[in-house]
């Protein structure tokens, strides 16, 4: 079941946030590109260290673990069907690497305040890219909450999409039809609304913008940024 | 400083919305545009802001085409503050427009603080996260983010839609100050009554903009019959805490068969959470809940409880209205033809049969709302939970929804409507007010 209730996420300093984001990105990139000996062991240890550092144990983790278990089972089942029993170790390696690719980002999103991440992205990236990325991060909870509402109303209408019912592949089509498609529609509508709101406040009027120095004037110089 | 519209027209997806619109709005004037859902009020407002083609006519600001007006002089605020606040904290939000206008950084903070105090948020720290604000505070912040650019004209699309009574009182004060300083306001609203500042009401009817009277609320028919004796849902000494915040406590509530109850509460009072507790998607932190005599659990309530969420139009995914309404019936494993027959029956009952073959996406907001309600009613729920079902609906659509609810009540269904403001007219058996300390009759 999706969880729509609000969780308390402790705030962290900007340095801690930068370190967390850098570590998560390094680990995810490592899972994607580093295939050397001991790479999986090192990445697993690194991800475990990140989980401890961000305090993942203080957040609900059983459902998340279940999702990853299902993903591993699914990938191995596909390897079994396609290449036979001798390919299962290969399937396990690929499934493990996929987990290591996704898990650092998931840990970061679950344990870090989205507003703080958005603020950091605006400060460290070029203006336009920073605005786009920070807006994506900032509006993620809004989109999530709309999706949770849709999920709950569809379950009550009769959709067989409770977690245990999704074990049956016959119900996956329903999930796509009543949750995934509306989520895409909602995200497009949200993107349109956000773009219009930015336009109403003259975003894009000039190729560069000045920068508010912030409550602490030493943060930026206020010079226009392209 | 005058905003002038000359021979402005616009077309929607299904034909012309309005044409030959002439209008002049002078300093200190507040004009309200009313009209049925989907008549083009928002389009007209966007045309005034230069965001929509004026058709054969033109929009002038002080005699100049609006596209050449000084940036920041016209401020448009849309309905939902949640999708218009783009930055994580109050300071960044206020600075966003100034940064776009390339205002020198040294001038920003004094202007931002002035704008905050104009909307009554002078005590709010600039580093306060936007997510920590109430809906009313968010709307005020949005107004401040517009006022900081020093506009002469404010265009507001249904400003009351998301606000509770406190929010409306604050909005009245802000608008009166803005008008007294020589600004102009044009706003769209189905019900202009709550806004004192409105000096002129115009309505879009028969594809033209004409002077209009404030729409009458009329009298809605009384609920069809007295509620039955058997209990459908109860909350006993219920408490809810989310994170570290106590939402409500000592809440007692009983709903009987065929009863229609309104639960009214300010923004953030926990109305949506109350509905989630009754569906089993949210657990109480104290006390107990029962629906149909059992502790609520989504699996057990499936098909027996219908939930209409806020902005239900976003859930419409089918190619036609008939498909949209018949889809939930397929969960009963009925033949497709039987599902379509039943769905057509529901559409006829709700007077929506003429829309059956039309794509839901091309319907007006009010029609989409009614189709979403039809889709919930298709599975004939015994308990209907409706979260702010009248937001954005004109009086005619509102009356139609009440008619639908009365029909459901006659059929034995019980209904809970969660509203953020007490409606001027309603057709419910009871109205309860939700506060942190519980529910009280009002």
């Amino acid at each position: 079941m999706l969880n729509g209730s609000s969780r308390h996420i402790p705030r962290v300093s900007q340095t801690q946030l930068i370190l967390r984001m850098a570590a998560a990105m390094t680990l995810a990139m490592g899972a994607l590109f580093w295939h050397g000996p001991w790479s999986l062991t090192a990445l697993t240890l690194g991800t475990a260290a990140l989980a401890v550092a961000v305090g993942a144990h203080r957040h609900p983790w059983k459902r998340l673990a279940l999702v990853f278990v299902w993903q591993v089972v699914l990938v191995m089942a596909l390897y079994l069907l396609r290449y036979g029993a001798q390919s299962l170790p290969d399937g396990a390696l690929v499934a493990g690497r996929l987990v290591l690719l996704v898990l650092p980002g998931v840990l970061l999103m679950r344990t870090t305040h989205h507003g703080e991440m958005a603020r950091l992205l605006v400060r460290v990236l070029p203006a336009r890219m920073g605005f786009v990325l920070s807006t994506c991060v900032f509006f993620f909870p809004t989109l999530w909450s709309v999706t949770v509402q849709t999920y709950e109303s569809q379950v009550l209408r009769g959709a067989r999409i409770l977690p245990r019912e999704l074990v049956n592949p016959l119900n996956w089509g329903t999930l796509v039809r009543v949750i995934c498609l509306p989520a895409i529609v909602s995200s497009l509508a949200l993107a349109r609304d956000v773009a219009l709101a930015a336009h109403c406040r003259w975003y894009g009027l000039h190729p560069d913008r000045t920068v508010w120095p912030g409550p602490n004037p030493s943060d930026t110089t206020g010079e226009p940024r392209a | 400083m005058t905003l002038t519209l000359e021979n402005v027209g616009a077309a929607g997806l299904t034909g012309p919305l309005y044409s030959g619109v002439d209008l002049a709005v002078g300093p200190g004037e507040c004009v309200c545009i009313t009209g049925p859902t989907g008549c083009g009020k928002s389009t007209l407002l966007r045309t005034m802001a230069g965001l929509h083609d004026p058709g054969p006519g033109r929009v002038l600001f002080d005699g100049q085409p609006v596209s050449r007006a000084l940036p920041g002089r016209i401020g448009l605020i849309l309905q939902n503050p949640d999708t218009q606040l783009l930055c994580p904290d109050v300071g960044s939000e206020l600075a966003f427009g100034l940064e776009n206008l390339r205002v020198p950084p040294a001038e920003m903070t004094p202007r931002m603080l002035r704008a905050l105090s104009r909307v009554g948020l002078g005590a709010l720290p600039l580093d306060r996260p936007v997510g920590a604000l109430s809906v009313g505070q968010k709307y005020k912040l949005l107004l401040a983010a517009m006022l900081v650019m020093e506009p002469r004209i404010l265009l507001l699309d249904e400003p009351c839609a998301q606000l509770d009574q406190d929010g409306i009182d604050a909005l009245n004060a802000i608008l009166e100050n803005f008008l007294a300083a020589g600004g102009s306001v044009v706003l769209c609203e189905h019900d202009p009554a709550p806004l004192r500042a409105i000096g002129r009401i115009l309505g879009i009817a028969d594809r033209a903009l004409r002077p209009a009277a404030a729409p009458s609320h009329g009298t809605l028919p009384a609920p069809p019959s007295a509620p039955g004796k058997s209990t459908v849902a109860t909350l006993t000494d219920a408490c809810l805490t989310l994170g570290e915040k106590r939402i409500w406590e000592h809440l007692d509530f009983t709903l009987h068969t065929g009863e229609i109850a309104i639960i009214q509460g300010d923004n953030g009072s926990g109305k949506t959470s109350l509905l989630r507790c009754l569906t089993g998607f949210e657990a109480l932190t104290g006390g107990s809940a029962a629906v149909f005599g059992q502790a609520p659990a989504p699996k057990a309530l499936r098909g027996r409880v219908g939930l209409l969420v806020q902005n239900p139009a976003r859930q419409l995914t089918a190619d036609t209205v008939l498909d949209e309404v018949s889809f939930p019936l397929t969960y009963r494993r009925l033949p497709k033809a039987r599902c379509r027959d039943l769905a057509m029956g529901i559409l006829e009952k709700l007077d929506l049969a003429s829309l059956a073959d039309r794509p839901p996406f091309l319907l007006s907001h009010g029609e989409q709302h009614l189709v979403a309600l039809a889709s919930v009613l298709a599975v004939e729920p015994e308990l209907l939970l409706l979260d702010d079902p009248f937001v954005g609906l004109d009086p005619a659509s509102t009356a139609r929804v009440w008619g639908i609810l009365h029909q459901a009540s006659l059929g034995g269904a019980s209904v809970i409507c969660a509203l953020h403001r007490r409606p001027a007219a309603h057709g419910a058996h009871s109205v309860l007010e939700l506060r942190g300390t519980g529910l009280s009759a009002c």
Side-chain angles (χ1 to χ4, degrees), chain B residues 69-396:
Chain B
L70 277 176
R73 287 294 176 260
I74 298 179
L76 169 65
I77 298 181
L78 307 168
Q79 232 184 75
N80 186 357
D82 279 330
T83 58
Q84 292 172 86
L85 294 172
L86 310 170
C87 302
D89 54 62
V90 170
S92 313
E93 193 63 54
L94 292 167
F96 183 76
L98 298 178
E99 290 172 337
N100 295 333
L101 296 176
R102 301 193 82 229
V103 170
E107 291 177 23
M108 289 184 181
T109 305
R111 279 175 70 165
M112 288 155 55
L113 294 174
R114 265 202 310 275
L116 271 184
S117 82
R118 280 179 82 181
V119 299
L121 293 178
L124 205 63
L126 292 178
D127 60 354
R128 172 73 54 87
V130 168
L133 306 180
S134 69
V135 176
Q137 284 177 318
K138 282 179 182 174
Y139 200 84
K140 284 186 195 173
L141 175 60
L142 199 51
L143 277 166
M146 211 47 90
L147 292 176
V148 78
M149 293 188 284
E150 296 171 358
R152 304 307 301 152
I153 295 177
L154 274 181
L155 307 171
L156 311 177
D157 194 356
E158 297 201 29
C160 299
Q162 310 278 341
L163 296 178
D164 54 28
Q165 196 51 52
D166 288 346
I168 288 177
D169 292 343
L171 179 64
N172 268 317
I174 295 165
L175 291 185
E176 281 166 354
N177 287 338
F178 182 72
L179 294 168
S184 310
V185 178
V186 182
L187 54 91
C188 297
E189 194 60 70
H190 287 301
D191 179 14
L195 294 174
R196 297 187 302 262
I198 294 171
R200 190 156 48 124
I201 300 174
L202 302 169
I204 299 179
D206 300 327
R207 293 170 189 163
L209 185 70
R210 298 193 181 97
S216 144
H217 294 294
T219 47
L220 291 164
S225 57
K229 292 267 190 287
S230 48
T231 302
V232 173
T234 53
L235 288 166
T236 310
D237 198 24
C239 303
L240 182 69
T241 304
L242 294 177
E244 291 167 352
K245 189 179 174 193
R246 173 59 60 98
I247 306 296
W248 31 254
E249 57 191 353
H250 310 308
L251 200 142
D252 293 299
F253 172 66
T254 305
L255 186 76
H256 298 99
T257 319
E259 183 176 357
I260 304 176
I262 287 177
I263 294 181
Q264 175 248 317
D266 290 346
N267 299 125
S269 60
K271 301 180 295 293
T272 303
S273 300
L274 191 150
L275 299 186
R276 293 185 82 235
C277 288
L278 289 174
T279 58
F281 283 109
E282 185 81 63
L284 290 170
T285 38
S288 64
V291 178
F292 305 124
Q294 293 181 329
K299 197 171 181 179
L301 297 177
R302 176 182 276 158
R304 299 186 74 187
V305 174
L307 175 66
L308 188 74
V309 298
Q310 289 175 347
N311 202 353
R314 283 187 179 170
Q315 293 173 33
L316 305 176
T317 55
D319 293 335
T320 67
V321 166
L322 185 60
D323 286 346
E324 187 65 47
V325 179
S326 64
F327 186 68
L329 292 166
T330 59
Y331 297 136
R332 293 182 177 174
R333 314 231 185 272
L334 297 171
K336 207 170 178 180
R338 175 82 183 125
C339 291
R340 290 174 75 84
D341 285 346
L342 286 171
M344 199 63 205
I346 292 159
L347 289 176
E348 279 166 3
K349 213 163 130 188
L350 302 182
D351 201 16
L352 296 170
S354 59
L355 305 178
D357 295 325
R358 289 179 57 188
F361 286 112
L362 299 187
L363 302 177
S364 73
H365 175 80
E367 288 168 335
Q368 287 181 335
H369 208 95
L370 293 172
V371 170
L373 187 55
S375 183
V376 170
L377 289 170
V379 290
E380 296 173 337
E382 297 160 62
L383 172 60
L384 265 173
L385 305 174
L386 312 177
D387 199 354
D388 258 332
F390 305 111
V391 167
L393 292 188
D394 56 36

Side-chain angles (χ1 to χ4, degrees), chain A residues 19 47 56 64 67-68 74 112 132 134 147 176 202-203 205 208 222:
Chain A
L19 288 173
T47 306
L64 181 67
V67 170
F68 283 119
L74 185 67
T112 312
V132 171
S134 69
T147 307
V176 170
W202 305 97
Y203 185 77
L205 180 68
D208 54 23

